[in-house]
Amino acid sequence: MRRLALIALPLAISGCFYPADRGRALETRIEKIDASNAQLQEELKQTRAQLDATLPRIDEKIAEVSKALQSLDTASRRTGADIGIQLQKTVEDLSQLRGQVETYLHKIGELETALAQTNEATEKRLLALKGDEALKEAEARKKAEELKRPTDKKEFLALAQEKAKGGDVAVARQLYSEFLKKWPKDALAAEAHFGLGETYFAEDKCREALFEYGKLLQEYPKADSTPSAYLRSSDCFKKLKMQEESRLALEELVKGYPKSDAAKTAKTRLAELDKAKKAEPKKGKK
């Protein structure tokens, strides 16, 4: 029963490929962007340090003013003009320090804005280099982040299934993946793997779909969706021109889950395959 899962997993894992020349170009751009980000981070760090150094001085001035006001009654021997001059000087010093703080805060705001814009531009460039699929996944991820997440795991899974049924498979894929990160060992993870596989299958991404179906077959052999995962695996192998593996999936399904609805479909398909195989010699004689 696990033979098919062991076939599907390495097949799906080996499906990733990225051209070397595009990879080198991507690395060069990333290095330049990282250097720019590092410079902005350093400027931001220095400005924050200047602000941190200025704030204690403001506190000292405020303490001086408070002390001066509290001790006015003991300074009656001094003229009002002397006290006024001292207070005026303190207020001027405090105003100057406040101006420095406002300058630092403004500069920090500018640096943080520039850093955010650089990070956003970096992400867009990376996605553009990776292609339309990466852009699509990024948009789906952003859309999924805007959704209100149920705290209950059943409701969370139901939300993912709802999005999948509504045709928003990219968002559903984000939700299924998030479910598996939150509850990787839960029994409902079986349905999440199957749902995730279905989002890939809907887009003819058979290698990725086989990986999820394979995880389900290997880790949750008694799950409700396991028979359907065998049937889908057969479909995927067929699309990948792997006829023997496609038949093997049907045979494992009939053998392991003979009373399931999926097994009935598998028996029909196996009968059709046997009929076609018997007809081949007749065609050869003609």
Side-chain angles (χ1 to χ4, degrees):
M1 191 177 295
R2 292 191 176 185
R3 285 189 298 164
L4 192 67
L6 296 175
I7 292 172
L9 288 174
L11 176 64
I13 293 171
S14 65
C16 299
F17 175 74
Y18 200 77
D21 55 340
R22 290 186 66 189
R24 285 191 292 271
L26 179 60
E27 289 176 0
T28 301
R29 295 192 184 189
I30 291 174
E31 288 174 359
K32 292 180 180 179
I33 292 168
D34 286 343
S36 177
N37 281 354
Q39 183 178 355
L40 286 173
Q41 291 279 13
E42 182 60 29
E43 290 183 25
L44 186 59
K45 180 180 178 181
Q46 292 177 1
T47 304
R48 288 189 185 279
Q50 291 173 334
L51 178 61
D52 291 340
T54 303
L55 289 175
R57 293 169 59 192
I58 292 178
D59 292 338
E60 290 176 5
K61 285 296 178 183
I62 291 174
E64 287 179 16
V65 173
S66 298
K67 185 177 180 180
L69 291 173
Q70 291 172 0
S71 61
L72 279 176
D73 58 334
T74 62
S76 57
R77 286 174 293 178
R78 299 178 60 182
T79 65
D82 290 339
I83 294 174
I85 291 172
Q86 183 180 3
L87 287 175
Q88 180 63 31
K89 185 176 184 304
T90 303
V91 170
E92 289 176 356
D93 290 343
L94 191 58
S95 178
Q96 183 179 5
L97 289 171
R98 186 181 293 112
Q100 291 179 5
V101 169
E102 290 176 353
T103 300
Y104 293 147
L105 289 174
H106 179 70
K107 187 174 181 181
I108 286 173
E110 289 182 336
L111 288 170
E112 287 178 338
T113 300
L115 192 59
Q117 291 175 344
T118 301
N119 288 335
E120 185 178 354
T122 300
E123 186 177 357
K124 288 182 179 179
R125 288 182 190 135
L126 291 176
L127 291 172
L129 285 169
K130 291 179 180 178
D132 293 338
E133 283 299 320
L135 285 170
K136 184 178 178 181
E137 290 296 326
E139 290 174 1
R141 186 163 53 252
K142 186 176 180 181
K143 189 175 179 181
E145 288 172 356
E146 295 172 355
L147 290 173
K148 184 178 180 180
R149 303 291 201 280
T151 55
D152 181 76
K153 57 188 177 183
K154 291 183 179 180
E155 293 178 2
F156 196 107
L157 184 62
L159 176 61
Q161 292 169 335
E162 178 187 334
K163 291 297 177 182
K165 289 179 181 178
D168 205 347
V169 293
V171 173
R173 183 153 53 238
Q174 294 295 326
L175 293 173
Y176 281 128
S177 298
E178 189 173 331
F179 181 96
L180 290 169
K181 288 179 181 179
K182 286 178 175 288
W183 299 284
K185 301 300 181 182
D186 191 88
L188 290 175
E191 302 308 315
H193 277 298
F194 182 74
L196 189 54
E198 290 290 87
T199 65
Y200 287 122
F201 184 82
E203 296 178 339
D204 286 330
K205 296 178 180 178
C206 285
R207 291 180 181 273
E208 292 86 347
L210 279 170
F211 178 82
E212 299 302 330
Y213 297 143
K215 291 282 287 184
L216 173 57
L217 301 182
Q218 191 173 32
E219 298 179 14
Y220 305 94
K222 295 183 180 180
D224 292 340
S225 55
T226 300
S228 296
Y230 271 108
L231 201 59
R232 284 299 201 205
S233 296
S234 176
D235 293 334
C236 284
F237 282 125
K238 186 176 181 180
K239 288 185 177 184
L240 293 170
K241 309 299 182 184
M242 301 174 67
Q243 305 301 336
E244 291 184 9
E245 288 78 4
S246 178
R247 184 185 181 92
L248 173 62
L250 297 176
E251 292 174 347
E252 292 285 353
L253 171 54
V254 173
K255 179 181 177 182
Y257 310 87
K259 296 181 180 180
S260 65
D261 291 336
K264 295 177 183 178
T265 303
K267 289 177 183 178
T268 301
R269 292 186 183 180
L270 286 170
E272 292 173 353
L273 290 173
D274 291 338
K275 184 178 179 180
K277 189 173 183 180
K278 290 179 181 179
E280 286 179 3
K282 295 180 181 179
K283 290 182 181 180
K285 290 179 181 180
K286 290 180 180 180

